[in-house]
Amino acid sequence: MRDVVAGLQGSRIREVANEGLGREGVLAFWFGESDEVTPEPIRAAAVASLQAGETFYAHNLGLPELREAIAGYTDRLHPGRGAAHWFGRIAVTSGGVNGLMLAAQTLVDAGDEVAVLTPAWPNLAAQPAILGARVKTVSLRPQAGAWTLDLDALRAAVTPATRLLIVNAPANPTGFTLTADEQRAILAHCRATGTWIVADEVYERLYYGDDTANGAAPSFLDVAEPDDRLIVAHSFSKSFLMTGWRLGWLVLPPALTEPVGKLIEFNTSCAPVFVQRGAVAAIAHGDAVTPALVAHLRHCRDTLVPLLQAVPGLELATPRGGMYAFFRLPGQADCLDVAKRLVREAGLGLAPGSAFAPEATGWLRWCFASRDTARLQAGVQRLRGWLDSAGLG
């Protein structure tokens, strides 16, 4: 076994979730997904595909009709170039995770330097490390509970020796979002250093600001030139309630599309046809699904965050994107131990901040994507009761 594989750290989120195995009544907010099922028209399209016998291989890059649908969807969010411009840049992947790994495999050789903006979902740093890259982190900085970017620190960290910069915004776990001006600054610097950017924008639609024309978070696609060294990763998981379907896509410079198609052959061959049929329906019904989902998530956020902010000593800023409240409890440095104790002693399941970066040790992540906001209120009551019983309230 390769040393880097043997040394991979297991998921601390799952480590906490394992504490809840066999325990009844645990309010689980540890995983990054809604508890709502995929909408019926999407499920029906997949069922119809299976009943029609579509159980065979598809094109490596995805069904043409799905790529056309994604191209049209992309042009609606990022208008001005036309769907035809985007079609030749789309590669359908077997999940956003697979898309990000494909991007890393396309760009990174063993020994390359890769910079990752953290705190971040652990896979973003682990994937290039698995390929033998030298991974360095550029940390966001917490200020009154909000994680902010020091552009000068990023510029200092990303040099001509940096092959790749990985950025997730809106971010998991912090809810951090980039402004268009910050994206322009990052692009300009990476052009100067010759550094590629992989932008994980899977939470693009889960945005609660009112400063963009399309209602989505600022995207690198809005400010990049067609041939910039930029790959943008997307997923059907979050905005269409399709986490278990494992389907995503990459937006690529046109010169990379065919090579990535060949790389898909050696990874998964293709995404399942019936899953892709569901995705075509998801885009077709998106206006009935995504805006309602975002409105509900905003309501969930606006229910949970004030309740948490009212807890004495708790540090939390209102997130502008994503589906997470990321907060710090007073005097609790060992967040993994706290998360496990909350499961055992309060029946409350949260993710430890140390799962996302060493600098997030002491923080906790609460996924607020709950069908019933009463669960969020009950969870805060359990947290307060635990703090009181532990003498921390």
Side-chain angles (χ1 to χ4, degrees), residues 13 29-32 116-124 140 145-147 168-177 200 202-203 304-305 316-328 335 350-361 363-368:
I13 302 172
F29 304 104
W30 39 48
F31 294 137
V116 183
L117 201 60
T118 59
W121 179 53
N123 295 41
L124 296 182
L140 301 170
W147 291 77
N168 169 221
N172 171 15
T174 60
F176 163 77
T177 59
D200 176 354
V202 301
Y203 295 97
L304 176 65
V305 167
L316 168 66
T318 302
R320 287 173 57 81
M323 56 172 64
Y324 310 106
F326 200 53
F327 64 93
R328 180 160 54 184
C335 56
L350 306 177
S354 57
F356 305 97
E359 63 266 32
T361 297
W363 294 71
L364 294 163
R365 189 193 74 176
W366 186 317
C367 179
F368 55 71

Side-chain angles (χ1 to χ4, degrees), residues 92-130:
V92 176
T93 64
S94 296
V97 183
N98 174 239
L100 289 162
M101 189 60 164
L102 287 164
Q105 290 174 334
T106 300
L107 300 176
V108 175
D109 279 322
D112 281 347
E113 179 180 283
V114 175
V116 183
L117 201 60
T118 59
W121 179 53
N123 295 41
L124 296 182
Q127 289 174 335
I130 289 168

Side-chain angles (χ1 to χ4, degrees), residues 270-343:
C270 59
V273 173
F274 71 94
V275 174
Q276 295 189 64
R277 295 294 186 200
V280 172
I283 293 175
H285 293 85
D287 288 345
V289 173
T290 303
L293 171 64
V294 175
H296 178 69
L297 290 178
R298 182 193 291 267
H299 175 58
C300 290
R301 182 200 66 166
D302 293 346
T303 297
L304 176 65
V305 167
L307 293 174
L308 287 175
Q309 289 174 328
V311 175
L314 187 147
E315 187 177 349
L316 168 66
T318 302
R320 287 173 57 81
M323 56 172 64
Y324 310 106
F326 200 53
F327 64 93
R328 180 160 54 184
L329 292 172
Q332 299 300 301
D334 190 345
C335 56
L336 180 60
D337 178 66
V338 168
K340 289 181 177 180
R341 287 184 61 190
L342 282 169
V343 174

Side-chain angles (χ1 to χ4, degrees), residues 27 100 150 175 191 204 254 264 276 288 309 323 342 346 357-358 381 385:
L27 293 175
L100 289 162
D150 183 335
R191 288 176 189 136
E204 176 187 32
I264 289 171
Q276 295 189 64
Q309 289 174 328
M323 56 172 64
L342 282 169
Q381 290 175 352

